């Protein structure tokens, strides 16, 4: 069994990005600028956004954090989105999700200029991704592809089971694993809360990507010997042991599944750090106007 070290790969990529930014600046180019909008004070979102700001510094990017209280009106938020769309200094920006219930996430996402949508959530980017055109690919699926690539994991002709059908992970992940490319060329099955025989499907899988958000859902008896297991779960489970009072728990029962795997990602330190670094890669592409002019 080989552990896939997302933390090590992500810090390697951040160094690669920082070196490229240094070159860009040396050649008189512009420092990439990522802006993030954070609404309210959700603990998870606060942590994610703080990590994104920190990663920007590590990559040599400029970052701006724009905060609103949870009672901000949808119109005020949309006005800020439009302002960032028009701000020539901002190369890309994100609105951290989830948003308070009185604000339509879809409306916010569709108001973002797709050319600055480094999260890859705008329907134009989602659509372009699904037909294999250049676009911003959403961060978690892109981070998983990068891990498969850096560990030379074979995907062509393999049976891949994606657990979960969210717009941010499950759906794009399935689409990317079946694309005509490497990593890809897999035979993909998507399982979700209404699927029957999930155990049977998983037992056939060479690669399992677990993105259900159900702590320790995937057990040893659901995994065939030699499978590759990618754990996207990051549920904050209360803990009396950690200083923060919670523990990040994956969708895989790691201790019993790991011995059966050829490769497996841990939680934390697997997919999580790769998600942030994928956002950094998209920001670099945005800064270079590499995808859209
Ligand atoms: N909430 C959970 N994951 C993400 C993400 O990748 N981007 C944004 N904007 N919000 C999130």
């Amino acid at each position: 069994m080989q552990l896939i070290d997302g933390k090590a790969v992500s810090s390697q990529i951040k160094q690669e990005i920082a070196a490229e930014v240094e070159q860009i600046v040396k050649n008189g180019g512009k420092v990439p600028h990522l802006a993030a909008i954070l609404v309210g004070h959700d603990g998870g979102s606060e942590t994610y956004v703080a990590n994104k700001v920190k990663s920007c510094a590590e990559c040599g990017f400029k970052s701006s954090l724009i905060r609103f209280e949870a009672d901000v009106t949808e119109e005020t938020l949309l006005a800020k989105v439009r302002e960032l769309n028009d701000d020539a200094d901002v190369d890309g920006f994100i609105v951290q999700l989830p948003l308070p219930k009185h604000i339509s996430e879809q409306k916010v996402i569709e108001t973002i200029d797709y050319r600055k949508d480094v999260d890859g959530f705008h329907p134009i980017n989602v659509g372009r991704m699904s037909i294999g055109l250049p676009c911003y690919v959403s961060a978690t699926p892109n981070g998983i592809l990068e891990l498969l690539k850096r560990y030379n994991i074979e995907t062509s002709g393999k049976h891949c089971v994606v657990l979960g059908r969210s717009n941010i992970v499950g759906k794009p992940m399935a689409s990317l694993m079946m694309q005509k490319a490497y990593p890809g060329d897999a035979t993909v099955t998507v399982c979700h809360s209404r699927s029957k025989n999930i155990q049977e499907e998983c037992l056939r899988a060479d690669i399992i990507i677990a993105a259900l958000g159900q702590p320790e859902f995937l057990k040893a008896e659901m995994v065939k010997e030699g499978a590759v297991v990618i754990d996207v779960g990051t549920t904050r489970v209360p803990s009396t042991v950690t200083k923060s009072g919670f523990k990040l728990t994956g969708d895989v029962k790691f201790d019993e599944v790991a011995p059966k795997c050829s490769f497996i990602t841990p939680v934390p330190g697997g997919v999580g750090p790769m998600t942030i670094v994928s956002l950094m890669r998209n920001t670099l592409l945005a800064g270079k106007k590499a995808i859209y002019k």
Side-chain angles (χ1 to χ4, degrees), residues 243-259:
K243 215 165 49 178
S244 59
F246 70 87
K247 181 172 155 267
L248 273 191
T249 306
D251 288 353
V252 178
K253 199 149 196 219
F254 185 89
D255 291 346
E256 60 175 58
V257 171

Side-chain angles (χ1 to χ4, degrees), residues 144 148 159-163 177 198-199 201-211 217-219 222-224 227-232 252 257 261 263-265:
I144 292 169
L148 295 172
H159 186 191
C160 175
V161 167
V162 177
L163 298 174
M177 289 304 286
I198 292 186
Q199 175 162 7
E201 297 291 352
C202 287
L203 275 170
R204 268 200 292 271
D206 303 301
I207 301 168
I208 301 176
I209 301 173
F217 175 87
L218 192 75
K219 315 268 192 305
M222 303 168 80
V223 178
K224 85 171 171 192
V228 175
V229 172
I230 307 291
D231 189 350
V232 188
V252 178
V257 171
C261 295
F263 293 90
I264 186 167
T265 61

Side-chain angles (χ1 to χ4, degrees), residues 45 48 52 94-98 119 121 139-140 168 275:
S45 294
Y48 293 137
K52 288 170 186 178
I94 63 157
V95 179
Q96 187 65 29
L97 305 178
D119 257 333
F121 291 169
T140 302
I168 325 189
T275 296

Side-chain angles (χ1 to χ4, degrees), residues 55-68:
S55 293
C56 278
E58 289 167 354
C59 292
F61 296 165
K62 177 176 171 185
S63 68
S64 305
L65 175 56
I66 298 136
R67 282 179 167 274
F68 290 104

